[in-house]
Amino acid sequence: MRVRAMAAALVAGVLAVTASACSSGSDAKVPSDPSKVSGTVTMWIYPINEKIENTWWKSRIAAFEKKYSKVNVKVVVQPWANRDEQLTTAIAGGKGPDVVYLIPDQIPQYANTGALADVSDVVAKDKGDFRQNALAAMTYQDKLYGVPMLMSVTATVANKKVLAKAGIDAPPATWDEALADGAKLKKKGLYLTDYVASPDATLNQTFYPLLWQAGGTVLSPDGKKAAFNSPAGVKALTFVKTLVDRGYVPKDSLTVTPKPDQSVLCTGKAAFGFASATAEVTICPGYQASDWQVAAPLQESKSVSYGTVGGLSVLSGSKNAAAAKAWVQWISSPSQLKQFDLDHGYSSTRTSQGSLLADQPLVGESEKYLGDMKTGVTNAAAPRQLMDVIKPHLQAALLGKVSVKQALADAEKDANKQLARG
């Protein structure tokens, strides 16, 4: 954690200096005449679908360059590992890309230092076609810093064979129903679900969805104060503590993250994943789609879960920002975006395209919940660092070292310190 904190500080410091030195592209707009724009656009993408990423872009670049004859596009597939450090170093050295693929919790980190250009003009003509939660995920302080390209959502994923062993007919819809199912499953020597509380777990798929379901929020609307130490927060953490104390989740996962194919859900020892992507079960030993079903996210005061959004951002330091925006607008146009999502196996960020994956088992069922999903903290400058200071306190409560209320109070104190650092 200490190393990550130091890296985060380096990112913020370097970007602050860089942004002030390279803001020439921040005012560029999408060109209305393709013949009036020129230059080279370099885009950094990552192996979203590693089987096709190195070849998929070739024909799209050719088609774009046919229309924009004075623009050259170079797509560079970078590794996922250490991508923030790599991007930050490149920007600081004046060798950053013009366009880069980012996810929501990266947006505040870079936007806060002025490293990203406002791309509102890129979607101005058809903004209403994009899902509002997808746009919100790429927005920071009322400015759009990324054009959403793909979406996915987590929901309740259930193992029908395990349910049958406990005489359960359907996945639970509420927390009370989940607790009732937990008792039935425990009698059969099975777990209700898994809850990973180890340091490398993400709160986006553990605590945050439960907090949202209880009606709470992670931060205040302005992102300046922690808001999870609330009645909703107490209710959410108490719910998890109840699962632990009653033996409805394995205690090993409170300290160690199991390998994906060795989790209790994957090995048929637990019935449900309550914030699971359907792809997570496809790697399970002996996977058969017919053994699984998808249901709505759990509900306490509301039914909501976590989801992902990925999008393309234009760097404010780009020397060819107008051409970069033209490329992003072209590749996110309805026809291009549809093919991108289909080929990469993701749902569309455009409402006009409906359910792209309806004919695929499990993932097609989960698409109906896209409009209700949240993407984690997007209104603070360092969401990942914030998560790191909260997690140890939640884990302490689940291990019985402190009370639920004390854990939330301690987490709130550290979270506010982190927020103050920015």
Side-chain angles (χ1 to χ4, degrees), residues 133 152-156 204-206 208-210 212-213 273-277 295-299 302-308 369-376:
N133 56 350
S152 67
V153 62
T154 67
T156 296
N204 284 332
Q205 287 184 267
T206 54
Y208 287 172
L210 297 171
W212 299 329
Q213 289 165 14
F274 287 129
S276 298
L298 284 179
Q299 176 173 344
K302 61 179 70 174
S303 176
V304 59
S305 192
Y306 168 74
T308 59
Y369 307 113
L370 283 172
D372 299 324
M373 67 85 161
K374 291 177 176 285
T375 55

Side-chain angles (χ1 to χ4, degrees), residues 245-256:
D245 292 347
R246 292 185 183 179
Y248 297 169
V249 299
K251 290 189 176 179
D252 290 349
S253 296
L254 299 182
T255 53
V256 179

Side-chain angles (χ1 to χ4, degrees), residues 103-125:
I103 59 175
D105 67 0
Q106 290 178 295
I107 293 292
Q109 176 177 322
Y110 291 97
N112 195 49
T113 56
L116 303 181
D118 185 341
V119 292
S120 300
D121 56 317
V122 176
V123 301
K125 292 182 179 178

